[in-house]
Amino acid sequence: NADMRGIFSALLVSYNEDGSINEKGVRQIIRHNIDNMKVDGLYVGGSTGENFMLSTEEKKQIFEIAKDEAKNEIKLIAQVGSINVYESVELAKFATELGYDAISAVTPFYYKFSFNEIKDYYNTIIDSVDNRLIIYSIPFLTGVDMSVEQFGELFENEKIIGVKFTAADFYLLERLRKAYPNHLIYAGFDEMMLPATVLGVDGAIGSTFNVNGIRARQIFDLAKEGKIEEAREIQHVTNDLISAILSNGLYATLKELLKLSGVDAGYCRKPMALTTDAQVEEAKNIFDKYVK
Ligand code: HMN
């Protein structure tokens, strides 16, 4: 599974003002990631794609556009998780047939599912396809925390090859790294990429790589080479950028920054709000300072 290491952008999706998918814009975002951000792959259908607000047909359409645009230039991961596990299975089959390199699924959320139910969910999804699965763990949004042993139980299924670890728990990250040296671990918080890389992650999946992919790779590579001070300087600049983005509204600001790079990144999808004039203005300042 070493082919899946590296820097993956969590793909932003361009929506029109009425919430429909702007296909041309999505293609431009993908090209920007490949040509300018030089990413190794894309994580399609994640939080960043505003995926949990979409219909099954829309999710499929985005998987199709991404594969059609990226072809085999980079690696593609399809996030198919949903609390409707039958939808997840349908999407996993769809993405596998399209040729996606791996499937990922968020831990099922909203209801307080037991660990056995979570395990059944993952096995149901991945056993329905000839593919590999990456667990998407993001406790701050899902409320689902899993222990080292529970990850181990999920990893008993050989098709479950890793985890996207979107948490600030570096103790758990270190324990997972030690316990499962052959599984893939992706850092999920871009602002904590340096410490995660020092602890030995195999790659990173992040929203801000859509605009900051070059610095992200520098942090990753320098940290792997043990050049910690240089990596830290770039993490500092990166985090000035990320703090500014977070205070101005994450996805809206990322889209404005893309627009300033000539990419038609569109709007966010309801119930997320349309961007205000003040946000647009602030995005210009952020762009001039950190992105241009
Ligand atoms: C996804 O599912 O789209 C992303 O992989 C999620 C990714 O971990 C991002 N998390 C969220 O947006 C909740 C991060 O890139 C995050 O946006 C970034 O670190 C800024 O906090």
Side-chain angles (χ1 to χ4, degrees):
N1 301 314
D3 61 310
M4 296 303 286
R5 293 194 180 130
I7 305 296
F8 286 68
S9 270
L11 185 67
L12 283 155
V13 172
S14 178
Y15 296 99
N16 297 307
E17 262 189 89
D18 66 2
S20 58
I21 296 166
N22 171 359
E23 173 169 349
K24 201 167 143 255
V26 177
R27 287 181 184 275
Q28 289 180 14
I29 299 174
I30 294 164
R31 286 261 53 99
H32 179 73
N33 271 296
I34 300 174
D35 299 336
N36 305 324
M37 297 295 110
K38 313 274 185 209
V39 296
D40 298 304
L42 290 176
Y43 189 81
V44 185
S47 319
T48 307
E50 301 169 62
N51 173 76
F52 302 109
M53 296 173 271
L54 302 181
S55 72
T56 310
E57 283 316 306
E58 288 169 320
K59 292 176 187 181
K60 286 183 177 174
Q61 197 190 334
I62 292 165
F63 288 146
E64 253 167 1
I65 297 169
K67 181 64 187 177
D68 186 64
E69 188 60 49
K71 304 270 182 333
N72 295 321
E73 290 181 61
I74 52 166
K75 297 288 174 187
L76 292 177
I77 302 173
Q79 196 298 118
V80 303
S82 159
I83 63 170
N84 176 358
V85 70
Y86 304 100
E87 180 193 37
S88 298
V89 166
E90 184 179 335
L91 292 171
K93 288 181 178 164
F94 188 79
T96 300
E97 275 162 28
L98 284 174
Y100 272 69
D101 301 282
I103 299 295
S104 181
V106 71
T107 50
F109 50 90
Y110 189 77
Y111 299 103
K112 305 270 178 228
F113 295 104
S114 69
F115 176 70
N116 279 335
E117 290 167 334
I118 294 173
K119 187 170 154 187
D120 181 59
Y121 162 90
Y122 279 113
N123 289 331
T124 301
I125 296 171
I126 197 57
D127 289 341
S128 73
V129 287
D130 181 15
N131 210 334
R132 317 174 266 189
L133 185 134
I134 294 155
I135 298 160
Y136 178 9
S137 176
I138 180 161
F140 97 98
L141 289 181
T142 58
V144 179
D145 277 297
M146 290 192 293
S147 65
V148 181
E149 293 74 24
Q150 289 174 333
F151 277 105
E153 257 193 67
L154 297 179
F155 290 155
E156 281 170 15
N157 185 332
E158 285 183 356
K159 293 164 87 179
I160 303 185
I161 61 166
V163 54
K164 171 165 129 52
F165 186 88
T166 307
D169 186 341
F170 290 105
Y171 178 35
L172 178 60
L173 177 59
E174 181 278 330
R175 292 287 79 192
L176 288 172
R177 181 69 299 167
K178 164 99 194 309
Y180 313 112
N182 300 321
H183 282 77
L184 294 171
I185 306 179
Y186 296 93
F189 271 132
D190 316 353
E191 53 277 50
M192 302 174 209
M193 190 175 188
L194 172 56
T197 308
V198 169
L199 284 174
V201 295
D202 302 283
I205 299 172
S207 66
T208 63
F209 307 162
N210 285 271
V211 302
N212 193 50
I214 301 292
R215 285 196 194 99
R217 176 172 312 276
Q218 289 170 338
I219 296 168
F220 188 70
D221 288 351
L222 287 167
K224 290 271 177 207
E225 290 163 23
K227 297 180 180 161
I228 303 304
E229 279 176 32
E230 284 169 65
R232 190 165 58 221
E233 284 315 308
I234 302 172
Q235 186 77 68
H236 283 326
V237 181
T238 287
N239 287 3
D240 289 343
L241 166 64
I242 294 179
S243 318
I245 291 174
L246 290 175
S247 353
N248 197 46
L250 176 60
Y251 304 129
T253 306
L254 289 173
K255 288 181 184 192
E256 289 308 311
L257 294 175
L258 282 172
K259 286 182 198 167
L260 293 162
S261 306
V263 175
D264 181 11
Y267 300 90
C268 291
R269 161 126 168 169
K270 267 183 199 288
M272 289 194 185
L274 290 175
T275 324
T276 64
D277 293 344
Q279 280 177 303
V280 174
E281 273 313 302
E282 176 57 13
K284 282 184 197 149
N285 295 330
I286 298 173
F287 183 81
D288 289 340
K289 248 175 134 168
Y290 306 108
V291 182
K292 203 160 66 184

